[in-house]
Amino acid sequence: MDKSKRSAVIAGNWKMNKTPSEAKALLNELAPMVKDADCEVIACVPFVDLTAALEATEGTNIKIGAENCHWEESGAFTGEISPKMLAEMGVPYVVLGHSERRQYFGETDETVNKRTKAALKAGLKPIVCVGELLWERECDITEEVIARQIKLDLFDVSAEDVKKTIIAYEPVWAIGTGKTATADQAQEVCGFIRATLAKLYGQDVADAVTIQYGGSMNADNCEELLAKPDVDGGLIGGASLVAAKFQPIVAAASK
Ligand code: 13P
């Protein structure tokens, strides 16, 4: 598989961590450490950190992302943030459909699909997360679950827009648990995601889509995971909160 058709992307997902001043400090520390990276480097941060993060990374190669957005441009949706708001701030990326949003906040494939289309319409690049529960893996329905999520989450998304979308494969049982999928397990599902995209959009489009692995990725296991032909990057939780832990993952993706 020719990985040169797509970008390698290492993205941190900070989740509900770091105040604005802490965000600034972490990004100031990280920027010089990753300045020569031969991959895209993204930090997805809490909404209230976006201004500080954009300021701290100005003139660096670190791009900023949000961790969610609503599907409407504006309206009576107390507590929500629209894609238009993010776009006007100059935020290029947004994480959508993370399993924590699905698990704790009632996110469904239908709402992930609406958010994805709205984000793309506003000019944002979505990082759409899919992944099976442990129970689903044990019942041997991982592929059914993933195919369903890909088809529903990307319903009505054009081929041009899919190329701007990053898919993150995050097995729910591997998130924050210290249990990483083996490199072979990650490859198997990332390869399956690409095959599913190929059925929907054709091989050329599928080959152009960046597919990340996420779930306890760290300095020790990243090299083996990133060496796999369909693993084009990582979506990193815990290890993105400490510059010295995130930098080796960026370095591994740059090889
Ligand atoms: P951890 O790296 O902490 O397992 O989190 C992964 C994740 O959920 C990234 O979105």
Side-chain angles (χ1 to χ4, degrees), residues 184-246:
D184 286 341
Q185 285 172 325
Q187 166 56 30
E188 198 176 11
V189 181
C190 290
F192 177 76
I193 291 171
R194 201 174 310 282
T196 306
L197 292 172
K199 273 192 206 154
L200 296 171
Y201 294 100
Q203 194 64 49
D204 278 358
V205 174
D207 284 344
V209 177
T210 295
I211 302 177
Q212 298 174 315
Y213 167 79
S216 301
M217 195 189 259
N218 58 40
D220 295 329
N221 59 30
C222 62
E223 239 170 275
E224 201 188 344
L225 287 158
L226 293 167
K228 291 294 179 185
D230 287 298
V231 180
D232 307 315
L235 186 56
I236 325 295
S240 70
L241 299 174
V242 179
K245 292 187 178 174
F246 191 60

Side-chain angles (χ1 to χ4, degrees), residues 25-36:
L26 173 53
L27 290 164
N28 284 341
E29 188 187 354
L30 185 64
M33 294 167 83
V34 300
K35 70 178 182 0
D36 297 320

